């Protein structure tokens, strides 16, 4: 028995024969598969300081990929042949948050140990996922450089609340996974941080670019200079994109929204700059809370960040 | 390579070992499968008189099944073993609406011709889908009785706009698929219909119960009496549930909402009454427009209507 | 030059030849016209105690009439020939609220002095409009009885804020327009009023029915008994429908929403009871704030209240 | 220097001299104070199975008290002299959820040890807060009877996720704090539970009333009978009100909404029945997630539940 | 009888004696009238690939004109004397979409044949309306040049879904109405198109400017150069403004929103550049779906596009 | 009795030991206190031409200060020691709007007469509050210069509606409080004003900068030049920030939103420019209507405007 207009396994949406949607290039990972890009969901946000539903973002960001296609006019190239492996989402624990961090770390490691992909995208979750994620990359790859787009330092002390979404880079530095000088922060905003953590950044040699610096130097040139600098002494570069680096008008779906941030063009342009460098092997996108969004525009922006990463590096 | 907390094919949600969610009893149809219930999506709403996104309801209603479980305390029975076959959604045509109606009819027929299920649920879409759907049942089963929950007669003339969501029962009667006396309408509301169509109903022998009748007689007893009556002379009974029969406070996601309708308990109770009868073999649920809903409560109510149908008949 | 599908003066919506929408029976008032029903908008809500956009309700309630038709199945009668005269909205003053009250009173009086209609509907606005409106009726008709659907007494003192939406019935009693015993209040809710005003009601002989009374006696029977009682000694009866008498689930668009109120069916049924009496000549509908509503369901309920009033009295 | 229209410490809202708002009878607790009612916020929802912002409800429910007053017309009594002590909210831990449960338990105990009030209200948070809360009452008062309004049993096993909002009554029974036969569940809904937990309830002697039972017997009479029964053998009775017992139309702000539940009048009436009994000493209100609500109507309903409890017991 | 504050025919809004709102300069077309600008509504969106309510935009865009006035400070000129003729909206067919396209074409032609205006504005509707609209202009005026603001090429093949909102410019080129080299596309976005259609554009000589080109050259200069170029060989220039050319933060109400687009200032500035050229005789504004908008800001932006077109050309 | 995790007087939120939130530097004013900054709420919006809930903004703007901290990375300074005195909100009259204006004026004067602060922030309310506020400053300080960020002149005549939010600067000029040449308007937008008022501005010597001027000259340089110019002949400078100067994408919560306005960075930068000058002593922020906002982003932007003012001047 065959159906003409029904496909119980598939999807009934309209198909244009010449267009490949980004989600159509997704392969559900099975042992032995290889691809340029691997994607994993890290749906954890219970350790956020404020209540956050960022754990729901891996679903909405993947869904946003249905709306966009694989063709870049700027590069005049169709990336329909760039397949990406989807490793699914890590099953987090409802009440044991340490367990959850451990599971995130182990799962990213297991993914890396498949040796199946050249580059990886981690979809948060809140920024707390960067600690277990970057730790896993460190174990596999060695010395890591990090470019962090963020309004905030995320260098809070660990005493006041344990490992939260405010502490990942403190945790990484203190646990020896990351050297301060190998961390670059772009988009740090006034009246959104504390002096102690700015001082800590300086003390550790973290390279900090505020919105004032972005106004002066431009996001693109900051990022391309720093990628070049880092690439000379690290084994790989990891991009960590906290979407609240973007102005609240462009990314209303972040828990900690505020005015005076990056535009969507500044974010997309600077991520593309970084992604083009061969040492850039990984990126996480964090702090998208779909329950706070308007028309999923923050998830859509996150999807474009993914596409810039996926396709800039594969030219 | 095996993962401990990752399952690329599956879903990372929390699982309680003793609870079966209704969506977990779903089987994607493959040739040769058999089950009590078959489900098909009829995602068509472009022929609605007003602009409607009811075509998106099959997705949201199926998603609502994730929130509910197979156990009925009232009957003290767990229906976890009642599997349902999902035939997917019909691929509609973006611009050729006649084609779309034809595809809906053919696809329901193809589903019936698999002879795989005892009973079927059709998820609209707008009420226009009942014409091709009931026509397909008629071809397969013979004389059909219909119980229609609706604020409206849906007996409009065909000249003023073709086959719309206002005409399905007119179309069925005029094309000889359905006898007027085999049609029962429950929940018809004042100031929501035209005299010409009420007169047409009378002329054709349609049995009409207004909200005033519901106040006097009760929805449950109206429906159980009429199912009994119909069952004596038809080959099967088809339930057609237009969710706008329910008051706008309980079903805000319908295109044609209004006050003074059924409560959610009246709808669920009366559908359960009908579903328990062995001649009731099919049900459609129509006119849920998820874009107009609040917290998906109309889709959730639709999901409960499904569960009442699925599990009342299988005791 | 004539157009086939364009009508610059009209409206391009779908027209079913057998259906008359309630807004199609509207006539823009011109001198000399006569009709059963006159409608006037009293778009005033700046004297509300809390900030209110109820002044926008005359537009949304009129718009809701587009969604409903003139045919009553319960009475098997099409009221398409019951025309209603629209006198438009009173132009209120942006900053001089006394001026506004004076304009409302004068405009209602001018409308009554046209002697063009048998019965009138006033669309608020907040409840403050009932004072100038009922005063105008009193001047024209003499002794007035009032049935007020409301969660609140609206008998506040005038010292603490002047004439607000909390004072209309106090103002009417104190100014001698209304006798306490000629006022009936239905749906008064616990924890939503003050003892001083309940005492004042008793002292003045106001007949008060709480939600507890509605539970015991039923809204329909309360209203029909009281209309009968009032009709024996007043010259006409005025219905004043504060939509917050209805439970917040059915009327979320009122400024002072709360739980435990009337259902939509209880409101519609009891208004219909009253409207059928020949001494019932006028009704206002107040406290609908469209900016707080969900899918305009409160305006739609208000539209049904209008239709019950318009068509029950004209059988 | 004194100001005429400025009061830096106070609040600039409109004040009617005869009306006392419920929040005006609140006293911030200081040592030595005594009152009829004590209120504590338990802002914890990170152990919910699904992501929940119920931790924000203590703020919105307290805020809703600003909209209602102390006068009951049904009882013709003004409760303006019934002061309630506000103990504030427990400071929860951002990442250590066991710590949080321990803090909730300790804080309720500390409140009880002030011996300052006759009766207490606990504002959740998710239903997980009932375990530490009832445990604290047990330690202080001895044998506890519980009336639980809920669509769900909340008797899940503890292995699959630790102590979540699905386990409080299992935890209480297993830890010996509560006897099965001292637990009464009202409003349990079909297709929202698992057979294993229904069986567990039976095995432990829990008294379960489904929505079918509510249809047959009435919520008021179920509750008043069970309070009488419990009162004969327990030291005190604790009411646990999960707002999802109410139909989703009346309480859209609950995480686990569904159709076919209690009306707002059924909930308020049955809570009032219970509160009138002298052995009823405590109540929690849980599972209100303000981020999912519409116009705060679920918080407003919760505020009315509070008022029924506060004022029924103090006649 | 005359009223002081009532004007049944008019509108009760506040009037400042020195301010003319743009909607006050509207004239309902009657035979014989002449004006600078004619406006027609093309409320068609059922042939959109995804479900769209863009058909409702002519109403919301016209409504937005109430909020803005006729005075330009930049040009220090009040355009209160520039009247525009409103031809109303085309009545579309509910189910026969070919009929609808034919009615749109015929109605635009009928409007042009009145010879009443110098320039015309067409309010969509989805982008599918540009095919019948531009065809009508071609018939009347001859060779047409088109400047299209859009994130997408709209050059899809016609086999996969018939004439949709993805095909208008393909349809125009293939039917010989428009030469490829007479079409200019501005704002084309990466990952939003297919290579086949980019190739098709090249093959046909369409002039394509991506967002990368906008970053380099500026929207204003691109448009003014291209208008000049086109004007040398076409008979008139038609502007086609798909609002999704604008970034989703500035135009959230478009069906196909995405990040990285034009700002509102870039759109308004470049439309003004074009409108100033005497060969620019027509403009359509499409793909505004009011049901997806936030505070009608996309309709308000569309209204400003209208005003730039109306008043730039009339200096 | 002391509690470990309960603080009935305080607040249970998470506290990072190194971070000071801006609201933690607030002091409730008591006689004798002194500080750099005084803040007063002017919750008046009933004299707005359109219905406005801007009166609710003082609460939401203060609440937004909870989300931001006192540390500026750009200046590498923690302003935790800059305390601000909160004088609370003026109690407005519900129905007597003249009384309200008088109370606003008197209350600002009383605040100034405490001589407790160097600089003051007034939180509106609609723009009508600037008339009584600036008048109070004039009385205390003498000749005032004003920089007004606004899309509108606010120079309407007083005959058509009395003192509204469209008239404050007309009122100030006509009453001799402000010289035309001492008023600078920045961000005036096309099609949002009337020629008569632009002419009036010219006649009175008001310095007007349109959005075209902002495009050409930059907001920062306009403001810093004008502050310098004004400072040479006035006694103090007052900033009046109507948030609708900002584009609707960045400030959706203003009653009169429109496209083509300032970005958030342009507003924050130019306010900071002004605040740094020692003659700048006062600022009001007006026209934020929280009921129209999205995620409170307009209130958050207003909070950043406050912080720029507070901390730029105190270096
Ligand atoms: Ca971060
Ligand atoms: Ca951040
Ligand atoms: Ca129907
Ligand atoms: Ca219907
Ligand atoms: Ca009232
Ligand atoms: Ca009321
Ligand atoms: Ca529960
Ligand atoms: Ca529950
Ligand atoms: Ca397009
Ligand atoms: Ca497009
Ligand atoms: Ca202004
Ligand atoms: Ca303004």
């Amino acid at each position: 028995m065959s159906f003409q207009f029904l496909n119980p396994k598939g999807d009934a949406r309209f198909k244009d024969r010449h267009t490949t949607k980004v989600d159509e290039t997704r392969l559900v990972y099975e042992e032995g598969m290889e691809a340029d890009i691997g994607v994993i969901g890290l749906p954890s946000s219970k350790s956020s300081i404020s209540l956050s539903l960022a754990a729901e973002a891996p679903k909405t960001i993947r869904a946003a990929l249905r709306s966009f296609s694989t063709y870049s006019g700027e590069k005049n190239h169709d990336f329909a042949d760039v397949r990406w492996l989807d490793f699914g989402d890590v099953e987090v624990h409802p009440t044991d948050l340490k367990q959850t961090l451990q599971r995130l770390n182990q799962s990213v490691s297991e993914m890396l140990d498949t040796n199946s992909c050249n580059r990886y995208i981690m979809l948060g979750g809140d920024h707390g996922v960067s600690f277990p994620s970057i730790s896993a990359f460190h174990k596999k790859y060695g010395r890591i450089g990090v470019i962090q787009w963020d309004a905030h330092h995320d260098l809070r002390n660990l005493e006041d609340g344990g490992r939260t979404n405010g502490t990942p880079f403190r945790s990484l530095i203190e646990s020896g996974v990351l050297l301060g000088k190998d961390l670059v922060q772009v988009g740090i905003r006034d009246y959104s941080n504390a002096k102690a953590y700015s001082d800590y950044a300086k003390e550790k040699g973290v390279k900090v670019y505020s919105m004032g610096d972005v106004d002066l130097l431009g996001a693109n040139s900051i990022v391309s200079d720093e990628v070049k600098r880092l690439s000379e002494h690290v084994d790989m570069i990891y991009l960590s994109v906290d979407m609240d680096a973007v102005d609240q008008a462009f990314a209303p779906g972040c828990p900690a929204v505020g005015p005076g941030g990056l535009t969507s063009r500044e974010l997309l342009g600077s991520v593309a700059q970084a992604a083009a460098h061969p040492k850039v092997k990984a990126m996480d996108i964090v702090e998208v809370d779909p329950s706070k969004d308007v028309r999923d525009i923050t998830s859509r922006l996150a999807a474009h960040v993914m596409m810039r990463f996926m396709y800039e590096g594969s030219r």
Side-chain angles (χ1 to χ4, degrees), chain A:
Chain A
M1 176 77 221
S2 84
F3 303 121
Q4 193 175 355
F5 302 110
L6 268 179
N7 173 8
K9 279 183 194 156
D11 197 355
R13 64 175 146 157
F14 175 77
K15 174 72 189 160
D16 174 297
R17 67 191 68 181
H18 298 302
T19 305
T20 308
K21 296 293 188 180
V22 178
D23 72 315
E24 294 172 329
T25 61
R26 167 183 178 258
L27 289 172
V28 173
Y29 175 77
E30 292 180 33
E31 208 173 334
M33 280 182 170
E34 297 196 349
D36 185 36
I37 301 277
V39 173
I40 188 171
L42 308 180
S44 156
S45 59
K46 282 194 177 175
S47 48
S48 282
I49 293 171
S50 29
L51 292 164
S52 162
L53 273 64
E56 292 176 356
K59 280 193 179 35
T60 56
I61 298 173
R62 277 196 196 89
L65 296 174
R66 289 183 60 144
S67 300
F68 303 107
S69 55
T70 56
Y71 174 67
S72 163
E74 308 285 2
K75 287 186 279 293
N76 191 22
H77 190 82
D78 189 340
F79 296 94
D81 52 332
V82 177
R83 311 306 294 265
W84 51 283
L85 297 188
D86 194 342
F87 290 84
D89 292 347
V90 178
E91 189 192 338
V92 299
H93 195 283
T95 54
D96 186 338
L97 307 191
K98 274 186 193 154
Q99 248 290 299
T100 291
L101 287 178
Q102 200 275 323
R103 289 183 186 185
L104 298 177
N105 177 261
Q106 176 181 333
S107 298
V108 174
S109 279
E110 286 173 353
M111 175 178 70
L112 299 183
D113 287 343
T114 65
N115 295 309
S116 54
C117 303
N118 302 316
R119 298 182 298 140
Y120 296 93
I121 296 173
M122 274 60 60
L123 300 176
D126 66 23
H127 221 152
V129 309
S130 297
F131 172 60
S133 172
I134 293 176
S135 297
F137 275 88
H138 170 65
K139 203 176 69 186
K140 179 83 178 183
Y141 287 88
R143 187 168 170 192
I144 311 270
V146 173
I147 313 272
Q148 172 195 0
W149 284 256
D150 207 329
H152 312 95
H153 290 300
D154 289 358
L155 295 167
R156 286 175 188 270
N157 75 81
L158 293 156
E159 290 76 32
D160 286 326
R163 293 199 196 291
T164 67
N165 64 335
T167 66
F169 297 99
R170 178 78 163 242
S171 298
L172 287 163
I173 290 170
E174 310 246 308
S175 61
V177 171
L178 183 65
L179 297 176
K181 64 180 175 182
D182 293 349
L183 175 61
V184 178
Q185 302 187 317
V186 182
I188 298 298
R189 228 174 287 174
D190 256 21
Y191 310 119
S192 307
N193 290 284
K195 186 165 194 311
Y197 305 127
S198 175
D199 290 349
Y200 179 90
K202 267 171 212 133
E203 186 192 315
K204 296 292 178 184
V206 177
K207 207 68 181 293
V208 175
Y209 293 91
S210 69
M211 284 306 302
D213 297 322
V214 169
D215 278 335
L216 280 176
L217 308 170
N220 283 11
S221 94
I222 288 170
V223 168
S224 73
D225 288 359
E226 288 293 336
V227 166
K228 220 170 297 159
R229 181 183 66 84
L230 285 175
S231 69
E232 285 162 21
H233 45 85
V234 299
D235 296 309
M236 65 156 276
I237 297 173
Y238 182 110
L239 312 181
S240 187
V241 182
D242 181 335
M243 297 290 289
D244 68 20
V246 178
D247 193 282
Q248 60 190 0
F250 295 93
C254 296
V257 292
L262 298 172
T263 65
S264 58
R265 287 199 224 165
E266 286 170 334
L267 176 67
L268 293 175
S270 56
V271 166
Q273 287 289 339
H277 195 284
K279 279 215 175 156
V280 172
K281 295 287 190 200
M283 176 176 70
D284 62 40
I285 304 176
V286 298
E287 298 287 337
V288 175
D289 178 344
S291 75
K292 300 188 171 62
D293 209 356
V294 173
R295 285 212 68 203
D296 287 324
I297 71 175
T298 313
S299 291
R300 288 175 206 250
L301 179 52
H304 273 254
V305 169
M306 276 183 77
M307 294 181 296
R308 296 290 170 120
F309 181 83
M310 287 167 73
Y311 302 137
E312 287 296 328
S314 60
R315 283 170 311 188

